[in-house]
Amino acid sequence: MLLATKLSGRRRSVLAVVATLAVLAPIGFLWQRSLVPNDLSPMSMGYADYGGGPSSMHVHHATDVSQLTGPVDRTPDVAVDLVARKERFDLPGRGPTDGYTLNHTSPGPRIVAQQGDLVQVTLHNENIVAGITLHWHGVDVPNAEDGVAGVTQDAVQPGQSYVYRFVAKDAGTYWYHSHQVSHDQVLKGLYGILVVQPTTRDVIAAVHTYGQVRTVNGEYGERRVPAPGPTARVRVVNTDNGPMAVWVDGAPYKVLAVDGADVNAPTEIRGRSVLVTAGGRIDLEVPTAKAVRIGLGGGPTTLVIGNGDAPAGPEPAARVDLLSYGSPKPLGFDPAKADRVFRYDIGRHFGFLDGKPGLWWTINGHQYPDVPMFVVSEGDVVRMAISNTSGQVHPMHLHGRHVVVLSRNGVRATGSPWWTDSLNVEDKETYEVAFVAGNPGIWMDHCHNLPHAAQGLVTHLMYAGVSTKYHLGGAPGNQPE
Ligand SMILES: [Cu+2]
C-alpha cells in the first residue's frame, strides 16, 4: 500500500515534469527565437519585401551608405560646433533638471540657414557614455548624413567628433535630435531646432516635455515674445512622443506648412485646433496687431506674441482636417502608376522581444528584428498603406523622403497635397501614402514615439544596390532607438 502510493506519487511527479516541459518548451523556443543578436547588420534584419516589384535588380556596383555624403569640398555657409554633455541644466520657470545638453543648453543652439546653404555641423561628445548621433528630422539629407547609429554611422563615443554636411535645399521648419538610444537621449534634452530660410517674421515654438514638465523653447509657463510684424509665421515643433493640439486665442490663423512643406492655398481658421504629430511641425500665420496666445496642448505652458493681455481659451473641440484643407495641385508624379505597393500593418501581440516577455509591436504580423525590409529601386513610384490595429496611436516617420497622403480610411485627400514626414496614425486607421524613391540609401521607417521604437516598431526602406558597413550593436554599441 505504502509502495503503491510512492509509485503513483513518483508517476505523478514525472507527469508533472512532462506537462511542465510541454508548456515551457514552446515558450523556450519563442524566447530563444526572440533574442536580438548583439551584432546585426540592418541589411540582414528581417526579410525582403519587394512590394510587387522585381526581386532581381541589376546593380553594376554596390554603394556603401558611407559614400552617400553631402558635398565634401564646398565651404560651408553655416558652420556650427555642438558639444554634447550629460549634465544638470536649468528649465527657466521651473528649475534644474538632469539630462543632456548641446553647448550647455537644451534645446541646443537654433540653427538658421538660407535655402541652398551648405550646413556643416561638427558634433563633439564630451561625456555621454552610450555614444550619440544627430539626425536631421525632416531634412531630405544624403544618406551618410542621416545620423542613425548602426545604419548610416557608428555612435560617436566620448572624446570623439563627427561632421555632418548637407545642403539645406528645402525651406521649412525642421529639428535635430540624437538617434542613438533616442528614447532616453531625446526625452532628456538632446535636440534642437533647424530653420531653413527664415523670414524676419518668424516665431519659434519648440515644444518639449522634460519628465512631466511641458516647455516651449525650453521654458515653462506663459512665455512672451515680441510681435515681429503685423503677422507672424509661428513655427510649432512637437519634439515629444505624443500628438499635441495647437490653436490661436485672439485671432484667426492659417496653416502655412506641414512638416516643412508649404500648404497650397491655405484658408482662414477660427475656433478649431490643428494637431501636431509627435515629431511633426506646423507653421501658422497669425495676425499680431493685438496680443495673441498660441495654445500648446492645454496646460500652463503657452506662447503669447505681442504686448498686453491675450485671451486664454480652452482647446477647441473641432480640428482642422489636413485631408481636406487648402486646394489641390499636381503632385509631380502619378501614384496610380506605382512600381511597388507595400503595406505597413502595425499590430501588437504577446511574445518575447530579446528574451523579454511582453506585448510587443508587430509589422505585417512579424516582430522586430524579423520585420519586412521594404526594397525599392531608384526612381520607383512607391505606394504604402499604413494601418494600425495595435490599440495605440503611432507617429510614423520615414527618413530621407516626405510622403504624400492619398487617403485615410478609404476617403481620398481633396485638399492641398499633404506632404508629411511624421504621420499620426490612430488605432483602427489606415493611411495610404505615396512617394518617388529618389534618395538612395538605407532609411529608417519607424514610430517616432521613441519608447515604441525602442520596443521594436522599426524597419527600413532599402534601395537596391546600397549596402551599409555599420552594424546595430557591435563594438560601438549602436542602438538607434
Ligand atoms: Cu508608436
Side-chain angles (χ1 to χ4, degrees):
M1 188 62 196
L2 199 67
L3 188 68
T5 309
K6 242 185 204 163
L7 270 179
S8 66
R10 193 166 297 155
R11 189 172 300 140
R12 264 201 301 275
S13 60
V14 167
L15 278 173
V17 167
V18 169
T20 306
L21 276 176
V23 172
L24 286 184
I27 294 177
F29 171 74
L30 290 172
W31 175 84
Q32 187 273 336
R33 209 182 60 162
S34 81
L35 296 177
V36 179
N38 185 38
D39 192 345
L40 173 69
S41 167
M43 302 186 58
S44 51
M45 200 176 107
Y47 60 94
D49 182 339
Y50 296 100
S55 58
S56 62
M57 286 170 273
H58 294 285
V59 174
H60 296 292
H61 61 279
T63 307
D64 192 85
V65 300
S66 59
Q67 298 167 262
L68 299 168
T69 64
V72 287
D73 43 12
R74 212 176 113 188
T75 308
D77 303 291
V78 177
V80 182
D81 272 64
L82 299 178
V83 182
R85 294 178 178 89
K86 186 175 201 297
E87 64 179 342
R88 200 164 174 77
F89 60 96
D90 191 52
L91 286 181
R94 188 69 182 204
T97 189
D98 287 312
Y100 302 101
T101 62
L102 291 158
N103 299 0
H104 295 300
T105 69
S106 175
R110 189 175 297 169
I111 301 174
V112 178
Q114 305 293 316
Q115 192 170 12
D117 278 357
L118 176 64
V119 177
Q120 174 178 300
V121 176
T122 307
L123 173 67
H124 311 272
N125 180 358
E126 184 164 296
N127 66 350
I128 300 172
V129 175
I132 52 172
T133 68
L134 287 180
H135 167 60
W136 308 94
H137 188 117
V139 186
D140 296 346
V141 295
N143 200 205
E145 317 295 346
D146 197 41
V148 179
V151 181
T152 65
Q153 68 171 93
D154 283 329
V156 181
Q157 305 296 324
Q160 291 184 343
S161 299
Y162 192 90
V163 179
Y164 299 93
R165 286 167 66 91
F166 56 88
V167 174
K169 61 185 188 312
D170 299 310
T173 313
Y174 306 98
W175 63 297
Y176 60 90
H177 61 78
S178 180
H179 226 305
Q180 162 76 351
V181 202
S182 57
H183 70 281
D184 176 63
Q185 294 187 359
V186 180
L187 193 75
K188 294 179 184 161
L190 206 56
Y191 74 100
I193 303 304
L194 168 68
V195 174
V196 179
Q197 196 196 34
T199 67
T200 52
R201 300 199 299 245
D202 273 22
V203 170
I204 304 284
V207 176
H208 192 78
T209 301
Y210 297 84
Q212 304 298 316
V213 183
R214 175 171 281 166
T215 63
V216 61
N217 302 326
E219 302 178 353
Y220 173 81
E222 180 189 296
R223 312 311 295 190
R224 281 180 179 265
V225 292
T231 61
R233 184 183 186 112
V234 184
R235 299 175 182 268
V236 182
V237 186
N238 180 358
T239 68
D240 283 335
N241 286 318
M244 172 185 69
V246 167
W247 66 96
V248 179
D249 288 318
Y253 67 99
K254 292 177 182 176
V255 174
L256 293 186
V258 178
D259 293 349
D262 283 347
V263 171
N264 186 43
T267 52
E268 206 163 80
I269 297 163
R270 291 166 190 272
R272 284 186 291 163
S273 63
V274 60
L275 197 74
V276 193
T277 308
R281 287 86 62 219
I282 294 276
D283 292 11
L284 309 177
E285 184 182 82
V286 183
T288 51
K290 288 186 289 183
V292 292
R293 183 185 306 271
I294 312 297
L296 301 166
T301 293
T302 59
L303 188 65
V304 175
I305 305 171
N307 293 317
D309 288 338
E315 178 187 336
R319 286 261 169 80
V320 175
D321 189 351
L322 296 174
L323 202 64
S324 55
Y325 182 71
S327 299
K329 74 173 201 184
L331 297 178
F333 72 101
D334 185 359
K337 298 198 175 115
D339 299 291
R340 294 175 197 271
V341 180
F342 297 108
R343 60 189 182 92
Y344 193 131
D345 297 344
I346 305 162
R348 204 177 190 192
H349 73 183
F350 181 81
F352 292 92
L353 176 61
D354 207 13
K356 288 191 276 297
L359 272 172
W360 301 112
W361 311 113
T362 56
I363 302 172
N364 296 351
H366 295 261
Q367 193 189 298
Y368 184 89
D370 181 33
V371 288
M373 300 281 291
F374 303 115
V375 183
V376 298
S377 296
E378 199 171 348
D380 282 348
V381 171
V382 181
R383 274 214 325 251
M384 183 179 278
I386 308 170
S387 73
N388 179 6
T389 55
S390 71
Q392 291 194 23
V393 59
H394 300 292
M396 298 308 295
H397 175 52
L398 170 65
H399 290 207
R401 218 65 187 148
H402 283 65
V403 301
V404 69
V405 174
L406 302 177
S407 70
R408 183 182 57 226
N409 301 334
V411 179
R412 290 171 64 91
T414 54
S416 165
W418 176 5
W419 290 98
T420 174
D421 58 50
S422 306
L423 184 62
N424 200 66
V425 185
E426 302 269 0
D427 186 37
K428 300 191 174 60
E429 277 188 340
T430 298
Y431 276 90
E432 210 183 358
V433 301
F435 62 97
V436 177
N439 193 9
I442 301 175
W443 302 102
M444 278 187 99
D445 189 357
H446 69 103
C447 177
H448 217 282
N449 184 330
L450 299 171
H452 290 185
Q455 293 156 10
L457 192 32
V458 172
T459 186
H460 299 103
L461 175 79
M462 274 179 52
Y463 283 63
V466 178
S467 57
T468 181
K469 62 182 181 181
Y470 303 109
H471 279 207
L472 301 162
N478 296 323
Q479 191 194 327
E481 299 86 22

